Amino acid sequence: MVAPMTHEELEESVPLYAAGALDRIERQALEAHLLSGCTSCHSALKNYQSIAALLPLSLNPILPPRSLKAAIIAGRNPAPIPAEAAPGEPARQSLEPGEWMDHLFPPVAPARSSSLPWVLGLGTLLIVAVGGYVAWNLSTQRSIATANIHQLEASLKEKAANLAEVQREVSNQASALTDLRNQLQQRTTEAADAKEQLLQREGELEEMRVELSQRGNTRTAEIPQDELATLLRIPNAKAVSLTGSDMAKQAAGFLLYDARTKKAWLYSINLPECPNGTIYQLWAISNKPISVGTFDMAPGETAHLLVKKVPRFLDAKTFAVSLEPSSGSPQPTGPMYLLSRS
Amino acid sequence: MIDPTLLTRVVKGDQQAFSQLYDHSSTLLFTLAVRILGNHEEAAELLQDVYLEVWRKVSRYDVGRGTPIAWLITLTKSRAIDRLRARSSRGNQATNALEDGTAPPVADSGPSPLETQADEELRVAVKAAVAGLPLAQQQAIEFAYYEGLSYAEIAARLNQPMGTVKTRIKLGMSKLRDGLQQWGNHGGSNDA
């Protein structure tokens, strides 16, 4: 890399510049320095340039050919080109005098031969053709680019419209989904209510079933044989046998107790007919006798079935049947006819 | 001496002014072109190009930057050097007066009928100033001025150190400046 020239070196190069003795790099360095506004170098160069312009006067004059002037007059354009009519030419920054800045902007084609006009003509034609082609090509490319831009803009608008449509669709779907979710929530609530009602109905149904069962039991009392047959199939039913006392040695009884339904069945046989004003009364005896129920033995009746609800029956260890007044007694008062063995 | 208003008229398309401009400058410019190119035909061709360029670009001339003849001389010299370099790059070395020691053929010489007394005095002064330079300085300046050689190229051609050639040119130009100071602002005048 070449070290930058000092101002002293630049100043010393001014007379060499005026004589045309600098190489390209030094010339450009000085020109850059002059253009930077160094007044002393500018003034020195002005001096040396004016002296250099005098040097041809030291030559012995040679007259040009007489035909030269006519050729020049004939070859020039109708009128000189004004400064403002020379586009593309950089503004002259030269200092003094004349064309020294030509070194800064050297001619493109310095040499011309005898065929120069033809070469220049062809070159100009080529430049015009190439320029025209480039301009046409640029214009075409610009048109294509413009068309592409318009096409892209139209496509973009279409995509934007589609996107808006999709967004509306999504919004509608979201709204519908929200409605469905609300409906589902409502249905779920309704289902929960229905389930609750169903449970309630099931409870009511169970109660009704129990009631019906109770009513069925009543009917069983009317048809005790059927219920007794059912009771006999229950594995956990408690069975107690009763035997006749001295009052009725031929008499016997069989008592069944169902803890689930808290019902007691007494099947008695060969008990004597109840005298008028009396009635048989069944007792469950734990610590003290508890009345289970009463029954009558009509004339000629040999067997009887008594079915009663006995809430507190589990603790009873002994069962007995006594003859009591027809209204029944809170405690056994009459003679015992049947007694359990335990 | 060329009146700057002459160029102003040329700018306006005054063909008569252009004709006068040619009459006042063509001999000096042709002499310069022949000195650089060493060939009359090529010099005439160059001059034709220069004047056509002047005709087209005369509006660019700024009187504040120098005299009209200085502008024309610089333009002619620049174009001639360019042509000389192009020729050298093609391997067709020009015959140079300083190299072979012979002057270019003079087809027609002598003072122009348009030359004034002041012009003649200037010509004499310049000739004297150049002749007063040591031969080595004169030779170095002419190599640079008329052949477009850099001091490095001149040093190579003369087989001299570059610093020596630089010094010769600087000293020579300084002496010319000192000797022609009173003429410097006049530049070249009319047809020599």
Side-chain angles (χ1 to χ4, degrees), chain A residues 21 26 50 52 61-63 69 76-77 80 83 89 96-97 107 111-112, chain B residues 15 19 23 31 49 55 59-60 64-65 82-83 86 108-109 145 151 184:
Chain A
E26 291 170 318
S50 63
I62 305 172
L63 292 176
K69 182 177 181 181
R76 68 188 171 172
N77 293 326
E89 295 285 345
E96 290 287 340
R112 294 178 186 175
Chain B
Q15 299 190 18
S19 176
D23 293 340
T31 302
D49 293 341
W55 175 251
S59 59
R60 295 180 183 176
R65 292 176 179 171
D82 290 341
R83 187 179 284 244
D108 193 0
S109 63
Y145 192 85
Y151 65 86

PDB file of all heavy atoms in Angstrom, chain A residues 21 26 50 52 61-63 69 76-77 80 83 89 96-97 107 111-112, chain B residues 15 19 23 31 49 55 59-60 64-65 82-83 86 108-109 145 151 184:
ATOM      1  N   ALA A  21       4.272  15.457 -15.884  1.00  0.00           N
ATOM      2  CA  ALA A  21       5.295  14.460 -15.585  1.00  0.00           C
ATOM      3  C   ALA A  21       4.916  13.524 -14.438  1.00  0.00           C
ATOM      4  O   ALA A  21       5.744  12.723 -14.022  1.00  0.00           O
ATOM      5  CB  ALA A  21       6.614  15.163 -15.251  1.00  0.00           C
ATOM      6  N   GLU A  26      -0.041   9.591  -8.692  1.00  0.00           N
ATOM      7  CA  GLU A  26       0.375  10.875  -8.120  1.00  0.00           C
ATOM      8  C   GLU A  26      -0.520  12.004  -8.636  1.00  0.00           C
ATOM      9  O   GLU A  26      -0.865  12.934  -7.892  1.00  0.00           O
ATOM     10  CB  GLU A  26       1.832  11.150  -8.485  1.00  0.00           C
ATOM     11  CG  GLU A  26       2.797  10.205  -7.770  1.00  0.00           C
ATOM     12  CD  GLU A  26       4.211  10.307  -8.318  1.00  0.00           C
ATOM     13  OE1 GLU A  26       4.371  10.388  -9.549  1.00  0.00           O
ATOM     14  OE2 GLU A  26       5.155  10.295  -7.516  1.00  0.00           O
ATOM     15  N   SER A  50      -0.232  28.288 -16.335  1.00  0.00           N
ATOM     16  CA  SER A  50      -0.158  29.398 -17.304  1.00  0.00           C
ATOM     17  C   SER A  50       1.209  29.429 -17.998  1.00  0.00           C
ATOM     18  O   SER A  50       1.313  29.768 -19.185  1.00  0.00           O
ATOM     19  CB  SER A  50      -0.429  30.733 -16.593  1.00  0.00           C
ATOM     20  OG  SER A  50       0.574  30.979 -15.607  1.00  0.00           O
ATOM     21  N   ALA A  52       3.064  26.648 -18.459  1.00  0.00           N
ATOM     22  CA  ALA A  52       3.096  25.475 -19.338  1.00  0.00           C
ATOM     23  C   ALA A  52       2.365  25.748 -20.642  1.00  0.00           C
ATOM     24  O   ALA A  52       2.753  25.261 -21.707  1.00  0.00           O
ATOM     25  CB  ALA A  52       2.471  24.277 -18.607  1.00  0.00           C
ATOM     26  N   PRO A  61       6.745  27.735 -35.765  1.00  0.00           N
ATOM     27  CA  PRO A  61       5.373  27.564 -36.233  1.00  0.00           C
ATOM     28  C   PRO A  61       5.278  26.771 -37.537  1.00  0.00           C
ATOM     29  O   PRO A  61       6.136  26.906 -38.415  1.00  0.00           O
ATOM     30  CB  PRO A  61       4.860  28.983 -36.414  1.00  0.00           C
ATOM     31  CG  PRO A  61       6.011  29.878 -36.236  1.00  0.00           C
ATOM     32  CD  PRO A  61       7.185  29.112 -35.722  1.00  0.00           C
ATOM     33  N   ILE A  62       4.240  25.949 -37.606  1.00  0.00           N
ATOM     34  CA  ILE A  62       3.947  25.162 -38.800  1.00  0.00           C
ATOM     35  C   ILE A  62       2.505  25.460 -39.193  1.00  0.00           C
ATOM     36  O   ILE A  62       1.584  25.273 -38.410  1.00  0.00           O
ATOM     37  CB  ILE A  62       4.111  23.649 -38.521  1.00  0.00           C
ATOM     38  CG1 ILE A  62       5.505  23.349 -37.953  1.00  0.00           C
ATOM     39  CG2 ILE A  62       3.846  22.845 -39.781  1.00  0.00           C
ATOM     40  CD1 ILE A  62       5.666  21.918 -37.474  1.00  0.00           C
ATOM     41  N   LEU A  63       2.323  25.903 -40.411  1.00  0.00           N
ATOM     42  CA  LEU A  63       0.969  26.234 -40.859  1.00  0.00           C
ATOM     43  C   LEU A  63       0.191  24.952 -41.144  1.00  0.00           C
ATOM     44  O   LEU A  63       0.732  24.008 -41.725  1.00  0.00           O
ATOM     45  CB  LEU A  63       1.020  27.096 -42.118  1.00  0.00           C
ATOM     46  CG  LEU A  63       1.573  28.513 -41.919  1.00  0.00           C
ATOM     47  CD1 LEU A  63       1.665  29.217 -43.277  1.00  0.00           C
ATOM     48  CD2 LEU A  63       0.677  29.319 -40.978  1.00  0.00           C
ATOM     49  N   LYS A  69      -9.289  23.931 -42.633  1.00  0.00           N
ATOM     50  CA  LYS A  69     -10.351  24.807 -42.149  1.00  0.00           C
ATOM     51  C   LYS A  69     -11.689  24.468 -42.816  1.00  0.00           C
ATOM     52  O   LYS A  69     -12.735  24.380 -42.143  1.00  0.00           O
ATOM     53  CB  LYS A  69      -9.989  26.262 -42.408  1.00  0.00           C
ATOM     54  CG  LYS A  69     -11.042  27.232 -41.891  1.00  0.00           C
ATOM     55  CD  LYS A  69     -10.616  28.668 -42.098  1.00  0.00           C
ATOM     56  CE  LYS A  69     -11.667  29.638 -41.557  1.00  0.00           C
ATOM     57  NZ  LYS A  69     -11.264  31.040 -41.771  1.00  0.00           N
ATOM     58  N   ARG A  76     -18.549  20.346 -38.758  1.00  0.00           N
ATOM     59  CA  ARG A  76     -19.130  20.677 -37.443  1.00  0.00           C
ATOM     60  C   ARG A  76     -20.662  20.572 -37.496  1.00  0.00           C
ATOM     61  O   ARG A  76     -21.279  20.549 -38.534  1.00  0.00           O
ATOM     62  CB  ARG A  76     -18.708  22.083 -37.042  1.00  0.00           C
ATOM     63  CG  ARG A  76     -19.343  23.088 -37.944  1.00  0.00           C
ATOM     64  CD  ARG A  76     -18.843  24.478 -37.741  1.00  0.00           C
ATOM     65  NE  ARG A  76     -19.372  25.317 -38.798  1.00  0.00           N
ATOM     66  CZ  ARG A  76     -19.247  26.623 -38.812  1.00  0.00           C
ATOM     67  NH1 ARG A  76     -18.574  27.235 -37.869  1.00  0.00           N
ATOM     68  NH2 ARG A  76     -19.763  27.314 -39.801  1.00  0.00           N
ATOM     69  N   ASN A  77     -21.242  20.571 -36.339  1.00  0.00           N
ATOM     70  CA  ASN A  77     -22.699  20.564 -36.224  1.00  0.00           C
ATOM     71  C   ASN A  77     -23.229  21.949 -36.523  1.00  0.00           C
ATOM     72  O   ASN A  77     -22.480  22.932 -36.509  1.00  0.00           O
ATOM     73  CB  ASN A  77     -23.102  20.153 -34.806  1.00  0.00           C
ATOM     74  CG  ASN A  77     -22.739  18.707 -34.557  1.00  0.00           C
ATOM     75  OD1 ASN A  77     -22.803  17.887 -35.466  1.00  0.00           O
ATOM     76  ND2 ASN A  77     -22.339  18.423 -33.339  1.00  0.00           N
ATOM     77  N   PRO A  80     -23.207  24.945 -31.793  1.00  0.00           N
ATOM     78  CA  PRO A  80     -22.550  24.334 -30.640  1.00  0.00           C
ATOM     79  C   PRO A  80     -23.570  23.909 -29.591  1.00  0.00           C
ATOM     80  O   PRO A  80     -24.652  24.468 -29.499  1.00  0.00           O
ATOM     81  CB  PRO A  80     -21.639  25.450 -30.108  1.00  0.00           C
ATOM     82  CG  PRO A  80     -22.251  26.709 -30.605  1.00  0.00           C
ATOM     83  CD  PRO A  80     -22.887  26.362 -31.913  1.00  0.00           C
ATOM     84  N   ALA A  83     -24.031  24.358 -22.659  1.00  0.00           N
ATOM     85  CA  ALA A  83     -23.566  23.604 -21.495  1.00  0.00           C
ATOM     86  C   ALA A  83     -24.689  22.795 -20.881  1.00  0.00           C
ATOM     87  O   ALA A  83     -24.509  21.654 -20.500  1.00  0.00           O
ATOM     88  CB  ALA A  83     -22.977  24.557 -20.448  1.00  0.00           C
ATOM     89  N   GLU A  89     -22.505  14.839 -18.505  1.00  0.00           N
ATOM     90  CA  GLU A  89     -21.143  15.309 -18.330  1.00  0.00           C
ATOM     91  C   GLU A  89     -20.988  15.866 -16.926  1.00  0.00           C
ATOM     92  O   GLU A  89     -21.781  16.695 -16.487  1.00  0.00           O
ATOM     93  CB  GLU A  89     -20.838  16.423 -19.345  1.00  0.00           C
ATOM     94  CG  GLU A  89     -20.864  15.947 -20.782  1.00  0.00           C
ATOM     95  CD  GLU A  89     -19.642  15.134 -21.122  1.00  0.00           C
ATOM     96  OE1 GLU A  89     -18.659  15.176 -20.340  1.00  0.00           O
ATOM     97  OE2 GLU A  89     -19.637  14.449 -22.164  1.00  0.00           O
ATOM     98  N   GLU A  96      -7.286  25.835 -12.775  1.00  0.00           N
ATOM     99  CA  GLU A  96      -6.800  26.805 -13.749  1.00  0.00           C
ATOM    100  C   GLU A  96      -5.818  26.133 -14.659  1.00  0.00           C
ATOM    101  O   GLU A  96      -5.074  25.254 -14.222  1.00  0.00           O
ATOM    102  CB  GLU A  96      -6.080  27.950 -13.038  1.00  0.00           C
ATOM    103  CG  GLU A  96      -6.973  28.864 -12.243  1.00  0.00           C
ATOM    104  CD  GLU A  96      -7.813  29.760 -13.109  1.00  0.00           C
ATOM    105  OE1 GLU A  96      -7.452  29.966 -14.294  1.00  0.00           O
ATOM    106  OE2 GLU A  96      -8.831  30.260 -12.643  1.00  0.00           O
ATOM    107  N   PRO A  97      -5.629  26.547 -15.802  1.00  0.00           N
ATOM    108  CA  PRO A  97      -6.666  27.005 -16.701  1.00  0.00           C
ATOM    109  C   PRO A  97      -7.136  25.826 -17.542  1.00  0.00           C
ATOM    110  O   PRO A  97      -6.509  24.788 -17.576  1.00  0.00           O
ATOM    111  CB  PRO A  97      -5.918  28.029 -17.573  1.00  0.00           C
ATOM    112  CG  PRO A  97      -4.540  27.448 -17.657  1.00  0.00           C
ATOM    113  CD  PRO A  97      -4.302  26.690 -16.375  1.00  0.00           C
ATOM    114  N   PRO A 107     -10.058  10.691 -21.424  1.00  0.00           N
ATOM    115  CA  PRO A 107     -10.977  10.270 -22.483  1.00  0.00           C
ATOM    116  C   PRO A 107     -11.064   8.759 -22.541  1.00  0.00           C
ATOM    117  O   PRO A 107     -10.108   8.051 -22.260  1.00  0.00           O
ATOM    118  CB  PRO A 107     -10.324  10.832 -23.753  1.00  0.00           C
ATOM    119  CG  PRO A 107      -9.421  11.899 -23.277  1.00  0.00           C
ATOM    120  CD  PRO A 107      -8.971  11.494 -21.915  1.00  0.00           C
ATOM    121  N   ALA A 111      -7.389   7.309 -28.885  1.00  0.00           N
ATOM    122  CA  ALA A 111      -6.767   7.247 -30.204  1.00  0.00           C
ATOM    123  C   ALA A 111      -7.808   7.121 -31.293  1.00  0.00           C
ATOM    124  O   ALA A 111      -8.824   6.469 -31.126  1.00  0.00           O
ATOM    125  CB  ALA A 111      -5.815   6.056 -30.271  1.00  0.00           C
ATOM    126  N   ARG A 112      -7.487   7.749 -32.425  1.00  0.00           N
ATOM    127  CA  ARG A 112      -8.378   7.633 -33.565  1.00  0.00           C
ATOM    128  C   ARG A 112      -7.511   7.376 -34.791  1.00  0.00           C
ATOM    129  O   ARG A 112      -6.460   7.960 -34.974  1.00  0.00           O
ATOM    130  CB  ARG A 112      -9.184   8.911 -33.763  1.00  0.00           C
ATOM    131  CG  ARG A 112     -10.154   9.152 -32.623  1.00  0.00           C
ATOM    132  CD  ARG A 112     -10.881  10.442 -32.830  1.00  0.00           C
ATOM    133  NE  ARG A 112     -11.705  10.728 -31.666  1.00  0.00           N
ATOM    134  CZ  ARG A 112     -12.391  11.858 -31.525  1.00  0.00           C
ATOM    135  NH1 ARG A 112     -12.341  12.796 -32.446  1.00  0.00           N
ATOM    136  NH2 ARG A 112     -13.111  12.052 -30.452  1.00  0.00           N
TER     137      ARG A 112
ATOM    138  N   GLN B  15     -20.876  31.560 -36.695  1.00  0.00           N
ATOM    139  CA  GLN B  15     -19.908  30.824 -37.520  1.00  0.00           C
ATOM    140  C   GLN B  15     -18.732  31.710 -37.935  1.00  0.00           C
ATOM    141  O   GLN B  15     -17.614  31.243 -38.097  1.00  0.00           O
ATOM    142  CB  GLN B  15     -20.615  30.244 -38.750  1.00  0.00           C
ATOM    143  CG  GLN B  15     -21.712  29.271 -38.349  1.00  0.00           C
ATOM    144  CD  GLN B  15     -22.249  28.502 -39.537  1.00  0.00           C
ATOM    145  OE1 GLN B  15     -21.608  28.445 -40.585  1.00  0.00           O
ATOM    146  NE2 GLN B  15     -23.433  27.923 -39.376  1.00  0.00           N
ATOM    147  N   SER B  19     -14.833  30.890 -37.255  1.00  0.00           N
ATOM    148  CA  SER B  19     -13.820  31.006 -38.312  1.00  0.00           C
ATOM    149  C   SER B  19     -12.647  31.861 -37.842  1.00  0.00           C
ATOM    150  O   SER B  19     -11.480  31.541 -38.068  1.00  0.00           O
ATOM    151  CB  SER B  19     -14.466  31.612 -39.564  1.00  0.00           C
ATOM    152  OG  SER B  19     -13.486  31.821 -40.567  1.00  0.00           O
ATOM    153  N   ASP B  23      -8.652  30.937 -37.290  1.00  0.00           N
ATOM    154  CA  ASP B  23      -7.568  31.712 -37.893  1.00  0.00           C
ATOM    155  C   ASP B  23      -6.536  32.150 -36.854  1.00  0.00           C
ATOM    156  O   ASP B  23      -5.337  32.200 -37.137  1.00  0.00           O
ATOM    157  CB  ASP B  23      -8.136  32.944 -38.620  1.00  0.00           C
ATOM    158  CG  ASP B  23      -8.970  32.553 -39.838  1.00  0.00           C
ATOM    159  OD1 ASP B  23      -8.786  31.397 -40.318  1.00  0.00           O
ATOM    160  OD2 ASP B  23      -9.831  33.344 -40.258  1.00  0.00           O
ATOM    161  N   THR B  31       1.057  23.283 -34.848  1.00  0.00           N
ATOM    162  CA  THR B  31       2.475  23.148 -34.502  1.00  0.00           C
ATOM    163  C   THR B  31       2.649  22.226 -33.296  1.00  0.00           C
ATOM    164  O   THR B  31       3.513  21.335 -33.285  1.00  0.00           O
ATOM    165  CB  THR B  31       3.080  24.527 -34.185  1.00  0.00           C
ATOM    166  OG1 THR B  31       2.921  25.379 -35.318  1.00  0.00           O
ATOM    167  CG2 THR B  31       4.555  24.419 -33.838  1.00  0.00           C
ATOM    168  N   ASP B  49     -10.548  17.108 -35.101  1.00  0.00           N
ATOM    169  CA  ASP B  49     -11.326  16.625 -33.947  1.00  0.00           C
ATOM    170  C   ASP B  49     -11.386  17.682 -32.847  1.00  0.00           C
ATOM    171  O   ASP B  49     -12.430  17.894 -32.232  1.00  0.00           O
ATOM    172  CB  ASP B  49     -10.705  15.342 -33.382  1.00  0.00           C
ATOM    173  CG  ASP B  49     -10.814  14.188 -34.350  1.00  0.00           C
ATOM    174  OD1 ASP B  49     -11.662  14.257 -35.267  1.00  0.00           O
ATOM    175  OD2 ASP B  49     -10.048  13.210 -34.204  1.00  0.00           O
ATOM    176  N   TRP B  55     -16.148  23.386 -30.978  1.00  0.00           N
ATOM    177  CA  TRP B  55     -17.439  23.876 -31.481  1.00  0.00           C
ATOM    178  C   TRP B  55     -18.613  23.314 -30.641  1.00  0.00           C
ATOM    179  O   TRP B  55     -19.558  24.015 -30.338  1.00  0.00           O
ATOM    180  CB  TRP B  55     -17.580  23.478 -32.952  1.00  0.00           C
ATOM    181  CG  TRP B  55     -18.919  23.826 -33.558  1.00  0.00           C
ATOM    182  CD1 TRP B  55     -19.906  22.967 -33.905  1.00  0.00           C
ATOM    183  CD2 TRP B  55     -19.403  25.120 -33.875  1.00  0.00           C
ATOM    184  NE1 TRP B  55     -20.970  23.621 -34.423  1.00  0.00           N
ATOM    185  CE2 TRP B  55     -20.697  24.963 -34.422  1.00  0.00           C
ATOM    186  CE3 TRP B  55     -18.864  26.431 -33.768  1.00  0.00           C
ATOM    187  CZ2 TRP B  55     -21.474  26.037 -34.853  1.00  0.00           C
ATOM    188  CZ3 TRP B  55     -19.662  27.484 -34.205  1.00  0.00           C
ATOM    189  CH2 TRP B  55     -20.938  27.285 -34.729  1.00  0.00           C
ATOM    190  N   SER B  59     -19.198  26.059 -24.862  1.00  0.00           N
ATOM    191  CA  SER B  59     -19.944  26.669 -23.758  1.00  0.00           C
ATOM    192  C   SER B  59     -19.330  26.327 -22.407  1.00  0.00           C
ATOM    193  O   SER B  59     -19.632  26.956 -21.401  1.00  0.00           O
ATOM    194  CB  SER B  59     -21.398  26.204 -23.800  1.00  0.00           C
ATOM    195  OG  SER B  59     -21.463  24.795 -23.700  1.00  0.00           O
ATOM    196  N   ARG B  60     -18.488  25.314 -22.386  1.00  0.00           N
ATOM    197  CA  ARG B  60     -17.871  24.941 -21.114  1.00  0.00           C
ATOM    198  C   ARG B  60     -16.674  25.821 -20.763  1.00  0.00           C
ATOM    199  O   ARG B  60     -16.158  25.741 -19.657  1.00  0.00           O
ATOM    200  CB  ARG B  60     -17.391  23.496 -21.173  1.00  0.00           C
ATOM    201  CG  ARG B  60     -18.541  22.513 -21.313  1.00  0.00           C
ATOM    202  CD  ARG B  60     -17.998  21.126 -21.353  1.00  0.00           C
ATOM    203  NE  ARG B  60     -19.072  20.175 -21.565  1.00  0.00           N
ATOM    204  CZ  ARG B  60     -18.873  18.886 -21.717  1.00  0.00           C
ATOM    205  NH1 ARG B  60     -17.638  18.414 -21.683  1.00  0.00           N
ATOM    206  NH2 ARG B  60     -19.881  18.079 -21.903  1.00  0.00           N
ATOM    207  N   GLY B  64     -12.690  32.648 -16.434  1.00  0.00           N
ATOM    208  CA  GLY B  64     -12.026  32.784 -15.138  1.00  0.00           C
ATOM    209  C   GLY B  64     -10.952  31.741 -14.920  1.00  0.00           C
ATOM    210  O   GLY B  64     -10.154  31.835 -13.985  1.00  0.00           O
ATOM    211  N   ARG B  65     -10.953  30.723 -15.730  1.00  0.00           N
ATOM    212  CA  ARG B  65      -9.988  29.644 -15.535  1.00  0.00           C
ATOM    213  C   ARG B  65      -8.762  29.765 -16.434  1.00  0.00           C
ATOM    214  O   ARG B  65      -7.868  28.937 -16.364  1.00  0.00           O
ATOM    215  CB  ARG B  65     -10.662  28.309 -15.808  1.00  0.00           C
ATOM    216  CG  ARG B  65     -11.711  27.976 -14.776  1.00  0.00           C
ATOM    217  CD  ARG B  65     -12.414  26.724 -15.138  1.00  0.00           C
ATOM    218  NE  ARG B  65     -13.408  26.377 -14.137  1.00  0.00           N
ATOM    219  CZ  ARG B  65     -14.301  25.410 -14.288  1.00  0.00           C
ATOM    220  NH1 ARG B  65     -14.298  24.721 -15.416  1.00  0.00           N
ATOM    221  NH2 ARG B  65     -15.156  25.161 -13.335  1.00  0.00           N
ATOM    222  N   ASP B  82      -3.026  11.656 -25.651  1.00  0.00           N
ATOM    223  CA  ASP B  82      -3.856  10.455 -25.618  1.00  0.00           C
ATOM    224  C   ASP B  82      -3.630   9.606 -26.870  1.00  0.00           C
ATOM    225  O   ASP B  82      -3.506   8.389 -26.810  1.00  0.00           O
ATOM    226  CB  ASP B  82      -5.342  10.843 -25.510  1.00  0.00           C
ATOM    227  CG  ASP B  82      -5.663  11.421 -24.141  1.00  0.00           C
ATOM    228  OD1 ASP B  82      -4.879  11.186 -23.195  1.00  0.00           O
ATOM    229  OD2 ASP B  82      -6.700  12.104 -24.022  1.00  0.00           O
ATOM    230  N   ARG B  83      -3.630  10.283 -27.993  1.00  0.00           N
ATOM    231  CA  ARG B  83      -3.437   9.572 -29.256  1.00  0.00           C
ATOM    232  C   ARG B  83      -2.048   8.947 -29.316  1.00  0.00           C
ATOM    233  O   ARG B  83      -1.873   7.815 -29.788  1.00  0.00           O
ATOM    234  CB  ARG B  83      -3.625  10.571 -30.416  1.00  0.00           C
ATOM    235  CG  ARG B  83      -3.612   9.946 -31.780  1.00  0.00           C
ATOM    236  CD  ARG B  83      -3.824  11.009 -32.844  1.00  0.00           C
ATOM    237  NE  ARG B  83      -5.213  11.440 -32.912  1.00  0.00           N
ATOM    238  CZ  ARG B  83      -5.976  11.253 -33.991  1.00  0.00           C
ATOM    239  NH1 ARG B  83      -5.473  10.645 -35.058  1.00  0.00           N
ATOM    240  NH2 ARG B  83      -7.204  11.681 -34.024  1.00  0.00           N
ATOM    241  N   ALA B  86      -2.032   5.874 -27.156  1.00  0.00           N
ATOM    242  CA  ALA B  86      -2.746   4.779 -27.806  1.00  0.00           C
ATOM    243  C   ALA B  86      -1.884   4.163 -28.892  1.00  0.00           C
ATOM    244  O   ALA B  86      -1.852   2.946 -29.074  1.00  0.00           O
ATOM    245  CB  ALA B  86      -4.060   5.304 -28.385  1.00  0.00           C
ATOM    246  N   ASP B 108       4.766  24.439 -43.854  1.00  0.00           N
ATOM    247  CA  ASP B 108       4.650  25.877 -44.087  1.00  0.00           C
ATOM    248  C   ASP B 108       4.939  26.544 -42.756  1.00  0.00           C
ATOM    249  O   ASP B 108       4.384  26.183 -41.742  1.00  0.00           O
ATOM    250  CB  ASP B 108       3.223  26.223 -44.559  1.00  0.00           C
ATOM    251  CG  ASP B 108       3.183  27.636 -45.111  1.00  0.00           C
ATOM    252  OD1 ASP B 108       4.259  28.274 -45.107  1.00  0.00           O
ATOM    253  OD2 ASP B 108       2.105  28.071 -45.510  1.00  0.00           O
ATOM    254  N   SER B 109       5.813  27.424 -42.703  1.00  0.00           N
ATOM    255  CA  SER B 109       6.168  28.031 -41.438  1.00  0.00           C
ATOM    256  C   SER B 109       6.293  29.532 -41.595  1.00  0.00           C
ATOM    257  O   SER B 109       6.218  30.070 -42.682  1.00  0.00           O
ATOM    258  CB  SER B 109       7.481  27.443 -40.917  1.00  0.00           C
ATOM    259  OG  SER B 109       8.521  27.754 -41.830  1.00  0.00           O
ATOM    260  N   TYR B 145       6.151  17.087 -21.417  1.00  0.00           N
ATOM    261  CA  TYR B 145       5.129  17.954 -21.993  1.00  0.00           C
ATOM    262  C   TYR B 145       4.676  17.469 -23.373  1.00  0.00           C
ATOM    263  O   TYR B 145       3.486  17.461 -23.671  1.00  0.00           O
ATOM    264  CB  TYR B 145       5.686  19.378 -22.098  1.00  0.00           C
ATOM    265  CG  TYR B 145       4.634  20.424 -22.399  1.00  0.00           C
ATOM    266  CD1 TYR B 145       3.876  20.996 -21.369  1.00  0.00           C
ATOM    267  CD2 TYR B 145       4.398  20.845 -23.705  1.00  0.00           C
ATOM    268  CE1 TYR B 145       2.918  21.943 -21.643  1.00  0.00           C
ATOM    269  CE2 TYR B 145       3.426  21.786 -23.989  1.00  0.00           C
ATOM    270  CZ  TYR B 145       2.694  22.346 -22.956  1.00  0.00           C
ATOM    271  OH  TYR B 145       1.732  23.288 -23.229  1.00  0.00           O
ATOM    272  N   TYR B 151       7.858  11.268 -14.884  1.00  0.00           N
ATOM    273  CA  TYR B 151       9.288  11.399 -14.551  1.00  0.00           C
ATOM    274  C   TYR B 151       9.930  10.038 -14.386  1.00  0.00           C
ATOM    275  O   TYR B 151      11.127   9.859 -14.670  1.00  0.00           O
ATOM    276  CB  TYR B 151       9.476  12.265 -13.305  1.00  0.00           C
ATOM    277  CG  TYR B 151       8.909  11.681 -12.018  1.00  0.00           C
ATOM    278  CD1 TYR B 151       9.671  10.803 -11.249  1.00  0.00           C
ATOM    279  CD2 TYR B 151       7.641  12.016 -11.596  1.00  0.00           C
ATOM    280  CE1 TYR B 151       9.153  10.275 -10.085  1.00  0.00           C
ATOM    281  CE2 TYR B 151       7.121  11.499 -10.432  1.00  0.00           C
ATOM    282  CZ  TYR B 151       7.880  10.614  -9.671  1.00  0.00           C
ATOM    283  OH  TYR B 151       7.379  10.082  -8.538  1.00  0.00           O
ATOM    284  N   GLY B 184       2.701  35.151 -17.864  1.00  0.00           N
ATOM    285  CA  GLY B 184       1.910  33.979 -17.495  1.00  0.00           C
ATOM    286  C   GLY B 184       0.425  34.158 -17.652  1.00  0.00           C
ATOM    287  O   GLY B 184      -0.281  33.282 -18.124  1.00  0.00           O
TER     288      GLY B 184
END
